[in-house]
Each structure stands twice: as C-alpha cells, then as structure tokens.
Amino acid sequence: MPFFSHTSFADADSSYEDARYVLFGVPYDGTTSFRAGTRDGPRAIREVSYNFETYIADIGIDLAGVPMADMGDIEPYSLPGDVVAQVRTAVAQMHRDGKFPIMLGGEHSVTVGAVQALKPDCYVVCDAHLDLRTEYGNTLFNHACVTRRVAEEGVNEIFIIGARSGTKEEYAFARDLHLYSADDVRIKGIRAVIDEIIAAVDGRSLYLSIDADAIDCCLTPGLGTPEPFGITHWDVRDLVRALAPLTLSFDYVEVCPVDVGQTAAVAARIIRDFIASHWKETGSST
Ligand code: MN
Ligand code: MN
C-alpha cells in the first residue's frame, strides 16, 4: 500500500455507524471582517492532531479505543445563512442517529446551525468578543452576531467566558447574560468560574463553543480577529475538561493558521481532551 496523507482527525477511524463521536469540518470564512483564513482551520487542526499520543495520561484514556469518526468537511455554500442551514441539517441528522457531533470551524457563524439543531437549555462560549450584534455586514449570520442569534433560539442561560471586546450596545445586552471577562477570569481563577457555571447549569442540556480568539493572541496568534489580554490555553483546557461530561455537543472555531502552528495545536489538543473527558464519564454507559 502507498502512503496516504492524513485527511482525517487522528484516531477518528471508526465508521459512522460504529462511532459515538462524529467530527466534521466547516471550512467557511465568508463573513470574515479582518483577516481571512479560518477556512483552513479544519485542515490545520487535523494535520497537527497526528503530533499527539493516543494515550492522554492526565485523563487516563487512550483515544485509540474510543469510537470516533471524521466525516470530512461540509462543502459550504457562499452565503452565511445557507451555511448555517447546512450545519443545522448535518447536526440534526447526527443527533437523530444518536451520535455526538464535534464541529471544527471555520468562522464562528457556523455554531448557530448546531444550536438550532440541538436546542440546548444552556450555552457556554469562550470568546474574546461578545458576538452580540443584531446584524453586521448586512447579514444576521455574521461571525459578530453568533451569541445574539443563540440568545434568540430559546437558550435559557448563556455564559460568555474571556470576553474583552464589544460595543456599548452589546455590553448593555450582555447584562442579562452570565459574562465573565478575561480580567474576571484572571482575578477569580478559572476554577471558581467553572464551579459557578456547573451550579447554574444544574444538569440541564449544554452546548459548548470555543472561539480560538478567547485565548490571548500573544499565546496563539493564528486568529482572524486577534485580541491581547485574553484568557490562557490552560484556562480553556480546564474549562473544557470540566464541562465536557455535561455537554451534548462541542465546537472549536476561528482557528486561522497564519502562525507557526500554535493555535491549531492548542485546538487539536483541547478537542482530544474534550473527547477523552466526555468518554471517561459517559463512555461505559452506552
Ligand atoms: Mn466569536
Ligand atoms: Mn471572537
């Protein structure tokens, strides 16, 4: 056999039928407002995923034994509302089939489709930006409007972690949400924030979205809209490991691989930690 290049996420070698976790990419950056390139995020995350051991020692799980599949990428349409609909259709089908969807962005707008499909009670997002604009760039589905759209989908509790950028209007809207700024996390510590989220979620269904720019751009500069003075990759890892067992779906978006690979490497490691943490708590029950 000749050598084939790595086109799927490492260890995601189950069939769709056998898989518990189903990864897929959405290489879309159609509403990008600053630096383009998040369409290359899924490829960069998959590529670097082969850098890591299958065994995750801290969690005590070997991903080689976890049933996961990588479906490849959705071929995105041009308009953001259409891409949201594509994601909604795909995630709804996976959910009907009893799968756990894990989405690799692409820009953040894709998250809206997954939330529409799953209708979670609670939504946790790590993001430098509030993403609470009513519209931007003449579309409701701009990456700057994601959390606003989520709020309109009947989600009861929204938690924004690591924010440090938004308009005056967005900050006014955020008063009705649970907002932990990057400075709040620095002062309180991520563990206290995690404990408050878990208590507030109180067993209800939860969607978890990680916008890569939540992390300080001095640590992971491969971003479309870089912001300094952010939370750290340690904070995001702690939060993902703690919340993974409580979630019904997960995405990691906004990796724009224009750096030397740090941002995609952090994304791939955190996705692997997510799967291991979720499987450890829930794997034997199904
Ligand atoms: Mn965002
Ligand atoms: Mn952002």
Side-chain angles (χ1 to χ4, degrees), residues 29-152:
D29 56 12
T31 79
T32 297
S33 49
F34 186 63
R35 179 195 290 140
T38 54
R39 69 177 59 191
D40 296 321
R43 178 192 51 73
I45 293 168
R46 288 185 178 111
E47 230 169 63
V48 74
S49 67
Y50 287 86
N51 178 52
F52 303 116
E53 297 288 353
T54 64
Y55 182 58
I56 301 184
D58 302 349
I59 304 171
I61 291 289
D62 197 320
L63 290 179
V66 176
M68 51 202 242
D70 184 343
M71 305 307 290
D73 288 338
I74 283 179
E75 196 175 312
Y77 291 134
S78 301
L79 297 175
D82 293 344
V83 178
V84 165
Q86 287 180 295
V87 170
R88 182 174 65 234
T89 303
V91 170
Q93 182 67 53
M94 290 170 192
H95 189 62
R96 272 197 300 277
D97 293 340
K99 308 301 177 187
F100 190 106
I102 296 176
M103 178 164 61
L104 316 178
E107 59 166 62
H108 208 168
S109 57
V110 299
T111 297
V112 177
V115 168
Q116 287 176 345
L118 298 171
K119 303 253 178 253
D121 296 318
C122 304
Y123 175 80
V124 173
V125 61
C126 292
D127 201 328
H129 308 94
L130 294 180
D131 285 356
L132 288 170
R133 292 176 191 265
T134 48
E135 71 85 33
Y136 198 68
N138 203 33
T139 172
L140 297 171
F141 296 104
N142 192 282
H143 66 90
C145 312
V146 181
T147 306
R148 186 64 173 251
R149 294 291 89 77
V150 167
E152 293 165 356

Side-chain angles (χ1 to χ4, degrees), residues 180 184-185 187-199:
Y180 297 93
D184 290 339
V185 174
I187 292 161
K188 287 177 90 116
I190 193 67
R191 192 65 241 178
V193 173
I194 292 165
D195 290 344
E196 286 182 23
I197 294 171
I198 291 174

